[in-house]
């Protein structure tokens, strides 16, 4: 998909980066750098993991698992499931997923201000 930005979007981004004053014209030699910064930001946004969400309904019928009406797309091991039903709150399902490879990456420590 080709990258396309309006002149106004490019000027606004240049101003937010501090390259020009608000409303000023952008020098031609900086235009490519601003567009590259915008494209990089858009690509990073597309590759971020979506926010986790609470399933509305999980239905388990034999080997079929439906989450909010959609089939669960991964293989589930033939292991016992731990199902916690809580009619007054959030219920839980714990199951075992199968994978050809598993990689565990320790998260970066968060600064104290984010705790």
């Amino acid at each position: 998909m080709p990258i396309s930005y309006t002149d106004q979007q490019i000027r606004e981004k240049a101003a937010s980066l501090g390259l020009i004053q608000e409303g000023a014209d952008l020098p031609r030699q900086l235009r490519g750098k601003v567009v590259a910064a915008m494209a990089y930001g858009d690509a990073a946004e597309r590759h971020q993991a979506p926010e986790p969400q609470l399933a509305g309904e999980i239905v388990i019928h034999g080997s079929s698992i439906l989450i909010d009406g959609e089939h669960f797309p991964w293989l589930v091991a033939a292991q016992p499931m731990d199902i916690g039903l809580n009619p007054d709150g959030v219920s839980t399902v714990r199951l075992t997923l199968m994978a050809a490879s598993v990689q565990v990456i320790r998260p970066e420590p968060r600064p104290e201000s984010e705790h």
Side-chain angles (χ1 to χ4, degrees), residues 60-114:
I60 302 167
H61 186 257
S63 62
S64 177
I65 300 172
L66 297 175
I67 300 177
D68 293 339
E70 299 289 328
H71 285 279
F72 190 69
W74 295 283
L75 290 174
V76 176
Q79 302 280 331
M81 290 183 188
D82 179 17
I83 300 173
L85 299 177
N86 184 357
D88 298 326
V90 176
S91 299
T92 60
V93 176
R94 188 177 316 162
L95 48 82
T96 303
L97 296 179
M98 297 170 60
S101 174
V102 175
Q103 183 178 17
V104 179
I105 300 173
R106 175 176 267 162
E108 295 291 323
R110 295 187 311 185
E112 286 297 318
S113 62
E114 293 183 19

Side-chain angles (χ1 to χ4, degrees), residues 24-53:
D25 287 333
L26 178 68
R28 292 180 79 185
Q29 67 270 22
L30 294 179
R31 185 179 175 86
K33 291 179 182 181
V34 175
V35 170
M38 293 172 76
Y40 178 80
D42 290 349
E45 234 175 66
R46 283 192 303 273
H47 289 92
Q48 284 183 345
E51 285 293 316
Q53 59 186 9

